[in-house]
Amino acid sequence: QVQLVESGGGLVQPGASLRLSCVASGRTIRNYAMGWFRQATGKEREFVAGISWGGGSTYYGDSVKGRFTISRDNAKNTVYLQMNSLKPGDTALYYCAARSAGRVPVSSISDDYNDWGQGTQVTVSS
């Protein structure tokens, strides 16, 4: 099992940037596809971004394309989410997740991920 801890959330104004980090422990994540999801109050969990286990492929939800960038540093067992041009609609609890079943592709379906962090809150408000 992989333990995931997110950090970097906070309260920012519209147009600002944040970088979320997800540090893994317990196992190396270098062979795992990783994803970021978010859940706003009263809404379903939404796929934000995913990165392949090799790091060569990235995927984004339609609402964040062109503004968010996912990356990984396997040497640090860490995944990042750079968020630019934040909007009030980006307000949510952001979760990091691992497809720890092995070298499987990125998925936008939350049930395909085996391990989850506790989340970090991002609030975008003026």
Side-chain angles (χ1 to χ4, degrees):
Q1 188 176 6
V2 178
Q3 289 77 46
L4 303 171
V5 178
E6 304 94 334
S7 63
L11 171 62
V12 296
Q13 293 188 339
S17 298
L18 281 174
R19 188 176 81 154
L20 305 184
S21 298
C22 170
V23 179
S25 61
R27 288 186 183 179
T28 176
I29 59 169
R30 63 184 177 189
N31 291 324
Y32 300 159
M34 300 294 295
W36 285 97
F37 290 77
R38 68 186 182 186
Q39 189 165 18
T41 302
K43 295 187 177 181
E44 294 186 354
R45 191 167 292 187
E46 174 189 15
F47 173 75
V48 175
I51 187 165
S52 61
W53 59 269
S57 298
T58 56
Y59 306 85
Y60 298 93
D62 288 341
S63 61
V64 307
K65 282 180 182 177
R67 299 188 298 122
F68 291 11
T69 302
I70 187 172
S71 61
R72 66 191 300 160
D73 185 339
N74 287 337
K76 295 182 178 180
N77 231 25
T78 300
V79 179
Y80 303 98
L81 184 68
Q82 178 67 42
M83 306 186 297
N84 298 330
S85 303
L86 283 162
K87 305 175 182 179
D90 295 319
T91 296
L93 189 60
Y94 283 71
Y95 297 93
C96 176
R99 291 203 74 186
S100 53
R103 293 183 175 183
V104 294
V106 170
S107 172
S108 62
I109 301 172
S110 59
D111 286 346
D112 287 341
Y113 290 78
N114 309 92
D115 298 294
W116 292 80
Q118 294 300 306
T120 184
Q121 178 67 37
V122 172
T123 302
V124 184
S125 175
S126 55

